[in-house]
């Protein structure tokens, strides 16, 4: 597994914590805090698109 630089966990109420990380090859990772050995992996651009979509309300129907 490549060397991943993880951000501090983002937590909501309770134990719902996620971490976002990147590596030197331009990949982005999302994992449940404490389970970083099983991340979802994609490009940094895909992560940017995901975050922009969430900020724009495209996932509000999931709330």
């Amino acid at each position: 597994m490549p060397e991943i630089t993880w951000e501090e966990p983002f937590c909501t109420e309770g134990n719902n914590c996620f971490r976002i990380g990147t590596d030197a090859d331009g990949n982005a990772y999302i994992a449940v805090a404490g389970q970083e050995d099983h991340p979802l992996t994609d490009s940094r651009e895909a992560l940017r698109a995901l975050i922009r979509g969430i900020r724009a309300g495209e996932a509000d129907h999931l709330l």
Side-chain angles (χ1 to χ4, degrees):
M1 184 173 251
E3 181 72 27
I4 301 170
T5 303
W6 292 103
E7 298 290 327
E8 290 296 316
F10 172 79
C11 301
T12 59
E13 294 180 22
N15 294 324
N16 300 321
C17 299
F18 293 90
R19 295 187 80 181
I20 294 176
T22 56
D23 67 18
D25 294 327
N27 299 308
Y29 302 84
I30 300 174
V32 174
Q35 298 182 21
E36 289 84 355
D37 52 338
H38 299 290
L40 170 68
T41 307
D42 209 326
S43 67
R44 288 185 189 185
E45 186 52 43
L47 177 61
R48 284 186 196 103
L50 173 67
I51 292 170
R52 286 183 186 127
I54 290 170
R55 291 173 103 185
E58 294 174 15
D60 286 358
H61 65 284
L62 300 172
L63 300 176

